Amino acid sequence: MSDQAALYGLIGAIAGATLGGGAAVIGPLVLHRRQAGERAEQSVRIEQRERELAEREEEWRQRQFQQEANRERKADREALIRRLINVRASTRSYQEFLTKIHRTLSEGAQVRLEDFEAELAVVHTSLNSAFDEVLLDGIWFAHAGAVRFLNPRGSMLTALGSNGVPQDQRIDATALGHSLMHAIDLIESSIKGGHPISEDSRRETERALEAVTAARDELVVYVKGRIDAQWVE
């Protein structure tokens, strides 16, 4: 029995030593693997957070870009509306001035040529400035004879099209310029001819002013349409 017990004891010692040695090897290995897994999970979490941060930053940049673009479009629309309103106002002032002078002459009152020319210069400068500002918006107004010679009717509208102005946003207001100049010539002739003006001169000037009204009405319809379109966009 003592030999058998000794044998069992030896086997147990060997097994214990084996298990102990295995534990000494497996334990650190398991720990290393667990730590490696934790590091990998942490790395995944970090990468995920970085992706989320990058996405949020990109979304923020896109929002900023869109807001800036919206502000620029709004500013452009408001500037265009102001330019269009200026065209409407300057043509109205011009028309009212000519109508006032004609009415004064028709009533038999005298108008000094110097006064007429001085006030005409003011409204004329305002009108030309207003149309110069809307040229690239699609409104062509040949207010100078030399310009009309160099750019025949319609050719400037073609140039505006090549500049990116859509066909339905272009208008040639040269007819208004012609009618204004004709009315000015008649009124100036009446002033120089002395008062009272003849009935024929009065009627011819009235017809010229009616042509101014018709040409301006066409332009005003266009201007109103362009302004309304800005509020819809």
Side-chain angles (χ1 to χ4, degrees):
M1 290 294 293
S2 59
D3 291 340
Q4 189 176 7
L7 179 60
Y8 288 155
L10 178 60
I11 293 173
I14 294 173
T18 301
L19 291 174
V25 174
I26 295 174
L29 179 61
V30 171
L31 177 61
H32 175 73
R33 289 180 176 176
R34 184 170 65 245
Q35 291 174 340
E38 291 174 351
R39 286 194 297 271
E41 292 176 358
Q42 183 179 14
S43 177
V44 170
R45 288 194 297 269
I46 292 174
E47 291 177 358
Q48 179 65 25
R49 284 198 298 270
E50 290 177 348
R51 283 196 299 270
E52 292 174 353
L53 287 173
E55 290 173 357
R56 282 196 289 269
E57 289 176 357
E58 180 62 23
E59 290 175 358
W60 180 84
R61 283 193 294 269
Q62 290 297 327
R63 284 196 301 270
Q64 291 294 109
F65 176 79
Q66 188 62 46
Q67 291 172 0
E68 181 64 24
N70 291 340
R71 283 192 294 268
E72 290 180 358
R73 282 195 294 270
K74 181 180 178 182
D76 289 344
R77 285 198 301 269
E78 292 175 349
L80 173 59
I81 290 172
R82 284 194 297 270
R83 292 193 296 271
L84 292 170
I85 290 175
N86 194 26
V87 165
R88 186 172 61 184
S90 63
T91 54
R92 181 177 61 245
S93 297
Y94 209 129
Q95 181 183 19
E96 290 175 348
F97 164 68
L98 295 180
T99 301
K100 179 191 70 174
I101 298 299
H102 174 63
R103 185 182 299 114
T104 300
L105 293 171
S106 298
E107 292 172 353
Q110 185 176 8
V111 176
R112 296 178 65 249
L113 182 61
E114 294 80 3
D115 296 338
F116 170 74
E117 290 177 342
E119 193 170 352
L120 176 63
V122 173
V123 295
H124 193 76
T125 299
S126 176
L127 182 75
N128 286 351
S129 176
F131 276 102
D132 287 343
E133 289 180 356
V134 296
L135 176 59
L136 295 183
D137 295 319
I139 303 178
W140 166 236
F141 179 76
H143 50 70
V147 176
R148 285 198 296 268
F149 176 77
L150 294 173
N151 296 286
R153 183 181 178 87
S155 63
M156 181 54 70
L157 294 184
T158 302
L160 291 174
S162 64
N163 196 52
V165 181
Q167 176 68 39
D168 60 350
Q169 294 183 11
R170 289 178 255 160
I171 185 172
D172 187 347
T174 303
L176 174 60
H178 290 162
S179 61
L180 285 171
M181 297 308 297
H182 181 53
I184 290 170
D185 289 341
L186 292 174
I187 291 174
E188 188 173 3
S189 295
S190 296
I191 294 174
K192 291 178 178 179
H195 67 288
I197 62 174
S198 68
E199 183 65 18
D200 289 343
S201 296
R202 186 186 66 80
R203 290 179 178 176
E204 186 177 7
T205 302
E206 285 183 353
R207 287 193 295 270
L209 290 174
E210 289 173 357
V212 170
T213 299
R216 181 177 181 272
D217 286 348
E218 180 182 355
L219 178 63
V220 168
V221 169
Y222 165 86
V223 167
K224 184 179 183 301
R226 288 290 300 275
I227 292 176
D228 291 343
Q230 301 308 308
W231 295 118
V232 173
E233 292 179 0

